[in-house]
Every structure is written in C-alpha cells, then in structure tokens.
C-alpha cells in the first residue's frame, strides 16, 4: 500500500471539500485503502503526482473516479420504499389537484446510477395513466459523476438488481437486453433528464420544484455545507413542496425553514 503523506492528505481533502462539499478530513485510512491500488495501476508511486493528474484532466473523468472511490454510490430500486409510497399517495395527488399547467417538476439530486429517478418515473406513469400525454412529467436527475450518469442513461440493469420490483413493472417498463440484463423502456427513459450538477454551485432553475429527493448525499457534508445546501433546496421548492432525505439522515442539527412532516420528509410551507 502506498503511504499517504500529510501534505498529500491535506491537498486531496481540501480540494474535494472546497469543490464538492465532501468532508474527508477524518478519513485518512479510507483514502489510503480505496486509492492505493488504483494509483499504482495508473503507474504512480505517490498520491501527489496522481492528484496533479486528476486536476489537469480536462474531461473531469478522473475527478469523477476519485469522488466515486471515496464515497458510496450504493443504491437500488425501491430503496426506502416509504418515500415512494408517500410520493404516490401524497405528492402526486397534491400536484394533480393544484397544478393547472400540468407541469410536474421533480428533482432527484445525487441520482447515482438511476434507480431512484426511474422508480419515480414509473410511479408517475402509473399514476397519470391515460393523462400522461397531457402532462410534462420529465424528472430531473443529477449527479457529479459522469460515470454513474452514463450507467443511468443506459438504463440497463441486471435481473438480480430488478428482483424486488413488482412483476407488473417488469412487464410494462422493461425489455430484454440479453440473457442476464433488462433495459428500461423508451417512455421511461425519456421521462428522466440527466445532468451533471454540483450541489455547491448556484441553483438556477426556471421554475421551482414540487418535490426534491436528496437522499444519503449530505452525509458527506459538514454542518456549514449542509446549512447552505439545504437553504438552496428550500429556495428551489414551490410553496407546499416536499423535500426527501435519507432515512438515516436528519435536519435536526441544520438551520432550516422546513416544516417537519415525518422522519426524513419535510415540507416548504405556504
């Protein structure tokens, strides 16, 4: 294992924190453990030379790799299913009753490899049914990693990954890709718009959202970063809109204006 020197540790953690909000200042052993073999594979014998390579990569592929290796992109279909039940039973009826423009605006922030936004798209398709063609129901899905976004855009998943989704969904919203994989059908794929987006950047959206899902992302942020990002989410929501975080997360230590609805679900009053 390549030893991580103090100046290398400081350089990497400062850069990642300043540019992406990910706080790894107590994760020295994690950085060594997850990067050492990869750095060696690239032909480097120290982290500083590797880090310079990361910073000078104009395509930003390597910073995506670095972030992916130092955080956990563990996700699956219907993860924390209570959120999807609430979306179906509370959010969609509210939007249907109050939105005269028939413009549903939902954001999956930190969408990873696409399971969350595709699940939201399938629930939306089920709910709208015959009215689907009269609605603009495209879901925005964002992540800072181009690599996971490529996986998400492909919409291809192993049959094992889809083992827990309803059989009705498999018949309606997936088709055979090969012997071991299925792919999302075109209507569902078109129902999600993927975008590379850094949550530390300025939020500039034409219209506010009815619902924002940002689950198990802010666990990597320190308190000042959480305060800032949560305020931006609040501002990006329509009055009455809902904000979903991971079920292992809480806004208890965060400065915010949200109304508490139930664990991990909040609402912008108005």
């Amino acid at each position: 294992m390549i030893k991580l020197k103090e100046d290398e540790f400081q350089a990497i953690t400062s850069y990642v924190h300043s540019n992406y909000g990910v706080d790894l200042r107590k994760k020295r052993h994690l950085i060594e453990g997850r990067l050492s073999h990869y750095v060696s594979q690239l032909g480097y014998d120290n982290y500083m030379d590797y880090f310079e390579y990361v910073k000078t990569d104009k395509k930003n592929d390597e910073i995506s790799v670095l972030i992916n290796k130092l955080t956990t992109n563990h996700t699956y279909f219907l993860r924390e299913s209570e959120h999807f039940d609430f979306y179906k039973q509370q959010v969609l009826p509210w939007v249907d009753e109050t939105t005269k423009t028939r413009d549903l605006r939902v954001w999956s922030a930190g969408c990873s490899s696409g399971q969350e936004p595709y699940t939201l798209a399938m629930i939306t398709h089920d709910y709208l049914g015959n009215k689907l063609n009269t609605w603009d129901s495209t879901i925005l899905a964002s992540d800072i990693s181009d690599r996971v976004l490529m996986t998400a855009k492909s919409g291809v998943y192993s049959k094992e990954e889809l083992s827990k989704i309803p059989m009705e969904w498999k018949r309606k919203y997936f088709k055979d890709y090969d012997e071991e994989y299925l792919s999302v059908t075109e209507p569902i794929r078109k129902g999600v718009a993927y975008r590379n987006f850094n949550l530390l950047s300025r939020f500039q959206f034409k219209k506010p959202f009815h619902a924002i899902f940002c689950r198990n992302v802010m666990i990597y942020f320190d308190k000042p970063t959480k305060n800032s990002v949560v305020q931006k989410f609040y501002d990006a929501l329509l009055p009455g809109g809902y904000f979903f975080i991971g079920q292992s997360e809480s806004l208890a230590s965060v400065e915010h204006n949200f109304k508490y609805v139930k664990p991990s679900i909040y609402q912008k009053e108005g």
Side-chain angles (χ1 to χ4, degrees), residues 52-265:
E52 290 301 321
Y53 163 65
V54 170
K55 291 192 295 181
T56 56
D57 174 30
K58 294 181 180 179
K59 294 183 178 180
N60 289 324
D61 287 343
E62 284 304 321
I63 190 61
S64 293
V65 173
L66 176 63
I67 297 296
N68 285 347
K69 286 186 176 295
L70 299 182
T71 58
T72 302
N73 285 305
H74 178 61
T75 186
Y76 49 88
F77 283 95
L78 292 173
R79 182 182 185 184
E80 301 180 345
S81 60
E82 293 88 347
H83 288 162
F84 298 116
D85 292 338
F86 190 92
Y87 176 71
K88 178 181 179 179
Q89 297 164 8
Q90 301 292 329
V91 178
L92 287 176
W94 166 65
V95 175
D96 195 10
E97 292 170 8
T98 61
T99 306
K100 296 181 181 180
T101 58
R102 298 193 173 189
D103 179 17
L104 172 66
R105 297 182 297 279
V106 178
W107 180 13
S108 170
C111 67
S112 188
S113 44
Q115 289 90 336
E116 178 178 277
Y118 284 136
T119 299
L120 292 169
M122 289 185 284
I123 294 171
T124 302
H125 275 234
D126 279 354
Y127 180 86
L128 291 177
N130 295 332
K131 298 187 293 184
L132 184 66
N133 292 333
T134 66
W135 278 75
D136 178 3
S137 59
T138 302
I139 292 163
L140 173 64
S142 69
D143 203 280
I144 59 172
S145 169
D146 286 332
R147 296 206 174 194
V148 297
L149 287 173
M150 285 179 62
T151 299
K153 288 176 183 178
S154 75
V156 176
Y157 302 94
S158 71
K159 292 180 179 179
E160 183 179 353
E161 289 178 275
L162 300 172
S163 61
K164 294 184 179 180
I165 71 167
M167 185 58 66
E168 182 184 359
W169 279 7
K170 288 183 184 179
R171 289 195 297 263
K172 289 173 62 177
Y173 300 130
F174 291 87
K175 59 184 179 180
D176 288 333
Y177 184 77
D178 60 26
E179 291 184 1
E180 297 183 7
Y181 291 85
L182 296 175
S183 65
V184 176
T185 58
E186 198 64 21
I188 295 298
R189 194 194 312 274
K190 287 183 177 180
V192 180
Y194 288 101
R195 175 180 171 187
N196 186 301
F197 189 81
N198 187 338
L199 295 178
L200 266 62
S201 62
R202 184 181 178 187
F203 288 12
Q204 292 180 297
F205 301 104
K206 292 181 179 179
K207 296 180 180 180
F209 294 95
H210 295 101
I212 296 175
F213 288 73
C214 185
R215 306 189 301 167
N216 306 300
V217 174
M218 294 186 293
I219 55 174
Y220 297 104
F221 295 168
D222 59 14
K223 186 175 179 179
T225 305
K226 284 182 182 178
N227 288 340
S228 173
V229 171
V230 168
Q231 181 61 50
K232 289 192 287 185
F233 280 133
Y234 182 87
D235 293 339
L237 274 169
L238 196 72
Y242 292 90
F243 180 47
F244 298 80
I245 61 176
Q247 291 183 343
S248 62
E249 300 177 283
S250 170
L251 297 187
S253 63
V254 179
E255 297 172 11
H256 68 88
N257 297 310
F258 282 107
K259 171 189 172 184
Y260 172 86
V261 177
K262 59 194 303 185
S264 68
I265 302 177

